[in-house]
Amino acid sequence: MSQISWLGPHDSFPNPLIEADPDPGVPGLIAVSERIYPGQLSDAYQLGIFPWYSDNQPVLWWSPDPRMVLKPNAFKCSDSLQKSIRHFCQDAHSQILVDQDFGSIVRACATSKRKDQDGTWITHEIMDAYTALHEQGHAHSIALVENGQIIGGLYCVAFGGMVFGESMFSRKPDASKIALAALCAWSIQNHIAMIDCQQETGHLRSLGAAPIARQEFLEQLQISLNQTKIETSWTFDKVILTYWL
């Protein structure tokens, strides 16, 4: 059994497409590093690897098998969610803001209380690293606003023709689902084959996500990276939600 790689600032990630998990006792854990080094996050995503760890831990890099993904056309827009979307679209005081104050959306995701979850994996280091990706045009935020107040949203990462969902939050019922509905509608318009959801949860499954084999995910990722690249500047508004109505 090989050992999990401990990465320095200039070390490359092992490629999960051609290398087995180094430690079967911790499936999906690919590598460890002391911190997130410059350029490391970009390299990781293009290999299908993402960081997930807590404060006072080293940075843990994962490529799980199976991998949870959401094909945009498979998004489940229930009757009740359609009603919420219709109300949001008809409200003259509501809007969707894309890539405006990215940092506030990440902080909202980090501080949002979640059932059966203490603390957050979105550390200050994670916030800084994803903000750097945002400045490079590879991380994006979608915020729902009502009467000047943010009521929910999400942030994600994009490389090539692949979108990687990161985290969502709601301050009103269905707000994060509406943000995800907007992302799915935008992805359909831009011929995005799948949105990476990373880890399997019942909530994501209820919205249409499903697990696929890591090998299949990584092969699709390589195809997507070689496709026409997504524009680094995202612009759309709440009209995009009418796709689900």
Side-chain angles (χ1 to χ4, degrees), residues 78-94:
S78 65
D79 291 344
S80 62
L81 181 54
Q82 282 187 334
K83 183 177 179 180
S84 295
I85 289 173
R86 187 172 289 109
H87 178 269
F88 182 81
C89 289
Q90 292 173 347
D91 183 351
H93 301 289
S94 72

Side-chain angles (χ1 to χ4, degrees), residues 70-73 161-162 187 190-195 220 224 227:
L70 173 59
K71 296 180 180 179
N73 271 318
M162 177 72 80
S187 296
N190 287 273
H191 311 292
I192 306 303
M194 64 175 61
I195 298 169
Q220 180 60 51
S224 298
Q227 289 176 342

Side-chain angles (χ1 to χ4, degrees), residues 8 11 15 20 43 53 59 72 74 89 93 111 121 158-159 174 181 198 206:
D11 293 330
N15 188 339
D43 292 343
Y53 64 105
V59 181
C89 289
H93 301 289
T111 57
W121 66 274
F159 281 97
D174 285 345
Q198 301 176 348
S206 73

Side-chain angles (χ1 to χ4, degrees), residues 218-236:
L218 294 174
E219 290 172 355
Q220 180 60 51
L221 171 60
Q222 293 309 307
I223 293 169
S224 298
L225 290 174
N226 293 323
Q227 289 176 342
T228 302
K229 290 181 169 42
I230 302 169
E231 293 289 337
T232 56
S233 177
W234 289 17
T235 54
F236 60 87

Side-chain angles (χ1 to χ4, degrees), residues 55-73:
D55 274 327
N56 304 315
Q57 284 185 321
V59 181
L60 307 178
W61 299 93
W62 301 85
S63 181
D65 187 11
R67 187 83 167 221
M68 197 71 164
V69 301
L70 173 59
K71 296 180 180 179
N73 271 318

Side-chain angles (χ1 to χ4, degrees), residues 2 5 14 18 38 40-41 55 63 95 117 150 170 194 238:
S2 60
S5 299
I18 58 177
Q40 198 174 39
L41 199 55
D55 274 327
S63 181
Q95 59 183 322
Q117 180 177 323
I150 296 175
S170 285
M194 64 175 61
K238 69 179 183 180

Side-chain angles (χ1 to χ4, degrees), residues 2-243:
S2 60
Q3 291 185 332
I4 294 172
S5 299
W6 187 280
L7 305 178
H10 305 296
D11 293 330
S12 299
F13 286 99
N15 188 339
L17 188 60
I18 58 177
E19 299 182 48
D21 285 359
D23 185 350
V26 191
L29 181 61
I30 297 297
V32 179
S33 61
E34 184 177 354
R35 56 180 293 258
I36 299 177
Y37 298 106
Q40 198 174 39
L41 199 55
S42 175
D43 292 343
Y45 272 93
Q46 293 175 80
L47 287 169
I49 299 169
F50 60 89
W52 186 46
Y53 64 105
S54 301
D55 274 327
N56 304 315
Q57 284 185 321
V59 181
L60 307 178
W61 299 93
W62 301 85
S63 181
D65 187 11
R67 187 83 167 221
M68 197 71 164
V69 301
L70 173 59
K71 296 180 180 179
N73 271 318
F75 177 73
K76 292 182 180 178
C77 191
S78 65
D79 291 344
S80 62
L81 181 54
Q82 282 187 334
K83 183 177 179 180
S84 295
I85 289 173
R86 187 172 289 109
H87 178 269
F88 182 81
C89 289
Q90 292 173 347
D91 183 351
H93 301 289
S94 72
Q95 59 183 322
I96 286 181
L97 299 180
V98 180
D99 284 346
Q100 296 192 33
D101 200 359
F102 177 86
S104 70
I105 301 305
V106 177
R107 287 191 296 274
C109 289
T111 57
S112 178
K113 292 185 177 180
R114 305 175 195 277
K115 185 179 179 181
D116 301 325
Q117 180 177 323
D118 294 325
T120 178
W121 66 274
I122 305 174
T123 64
H124 289 293
E125 182 177 37
I126 285 285
M127 292 184 198
D128 291 343
Y130 282 87
T131 298
L133 269 192
H134 171 65
E135 291 168 352
Q136 297 161 19
H138 290 298
H140 302 275
S141 63
I142 298 172
L144 270 65
V145 178
E146 279 188 357
N147 297 310
Q149 301 295 316
I150 296 175
I151 61 167
L154 61 80
Y155 74 99
C156 58
V157 169
F159 281 97
M162 177 72 80
V163 170
F164 308 81
E166 289 304 317
S167 188
M168 305 185 293
F169 75 99
S170 285
R171 292 172 179 160
K172 285 187 67 173
D174 285 345
S176 63
K177 293 180 183 179
I178 295 173
L180 182 58
L183 177 61
C184 287
W186 180 89
S187 296
I188 291 167
Q189 283 189 356
N190 287 273
H191 311 292
I192 306 303
M194 64 175 61
I195 298 169
D196 175 32
C197 300
Q198 301 176 348
Q199 306 278 11
E200 184 171 357
T201 68
H203 178 63
L204 288 170
R205 187 182 287 275
S206 73
L207 294 171
I212 62 173
R214 176 170 60 189
Q215 183 81 8
E216 181 183 350
F217 169 77
L218 294 174
E219 290 172 355
Q220 180 60 51
L221 171 60
Q222 293 309 307
I223 293 169
S224 298
L225 290 174
N226 293 323
Q227 289 176 342
T228 302
K229 290 181 169 42
I230 302 169
E231 293 289 337
T232 56
S233 177
W234 289 17
T235 54
F236 60 87
D237 57 28
K238 69 179 183 180
V239 173
I240 203 165
L241 289 165
T242 59
Y243 179 87

